[in-house]
Amino acid sequence: MHNITLPIDINKADTTPTYINIPFPTHFVANEPAKQKGVQVKKKYKPVTMKAKLVTRHISKDFQSEQHIIGDPLVTMPPLNLNLPPFIPIQRFTSKQQAKLVKDHDTGFLTSDKINVLVNMVAKQEKAFAWEDSE
């Protein structure tokens, strides 16, 4: 028989730690989907220019939108007066609504003169605003 000498002393205990790769069971991991074996590669993001496919065709008259602006819509709007009279409550724009409007817009962004112009504009266009659900 051949005598083989080992480089390790069998009688001496080895104190170096040994690491073994043991897969952790996936059913013990909470709220994580089971991972598939193999290499997973994410697809590269596709630019929008690659996604959009332009089609050059004529659209029938039924599906075309047409704009007919007749006249100037700003003609009927009353001009703003820079020499403002004091506020007088009117039919729908009362002093209560005026106080709320001033309170909501008095944040320091608008000066008091500009807030007065706003109040005057709202008073002239009072029919364009709904102050209550019934209006």
Side-chain angles (χ1 to χ4, degrees):
M1 225 178 186
H2 300 295
N3 282 342
I4 300 175
T5 57
L6 297 174
I8 305 172
D9 187 6
I10 298 175
N11 296 329
K12 186 178 177 185
D14 187 17
T15 58
T16 59
T18 304
Y19 296 101
I20 302 172
N21 189 8
I22 300 174
F24 192 75
T26 58
H27 62 274
F28 289 119
V29 180
N31 298 329
E32 286 188 17
K35 296 185 179 181
Q36 298 176 353
K37 292 183 179 181
V39 177
Q40 293 181 354
V41 178
K42 289 185 178 181
K43 291 176 85 174
K44 185 179 176 184
Y45 176 72
K46 186 177 186 180
V48 176
T49 57
M50 300 282 292
K51 291 181 182 181
K53 305 254 185 201
L54 299 177
V55 178
T56 55
R57 292 188 182 178
H58 292 286
I59 300 174
S60 69
K61 295 264 183 189
D62 298 336
F63 297 106
Q64 290 181 353
S65 61
E66 295 179 3
Q67 246 183 349
H68 296 289
I69 299 175
I70 301 171
D72 186 9
L74 298 178
V75 171
T76 58
M77 181 179 274
L80 293 176
N81 184 6
L82 298 179
N83 300 323
L84 300 173
F87 174 72
I88 300 169
I90 44 182
Q91 184 180 5
R92 291 177 64 189
F93 188 49
T94 62
S95 58
K96 180 180 173 184
Q97 280 115 5
Q98 186 261 353
K100 184 174 182 337
L101 181 72
V102 170
K103 180 184 164 209
D104 290 345
H105 290 86
D106 193 15
T107 59
F109 179 71
L110 296 175
T111 62
S112 61
D113 293 336
K114 290 182 181 179
I115 291 176
N116 290 337
V117 170
L118 174 68
V119 168
N120 187 23
M121 188 266 314
V122 170
K124 286 183 178 181
Q125 298 287 329
E126 69 168 344
K127 292 181 181 176
F129 298 97
W131 302 104
E132 298 172 0
D133 291 339
S134 62
E135 297 174 340

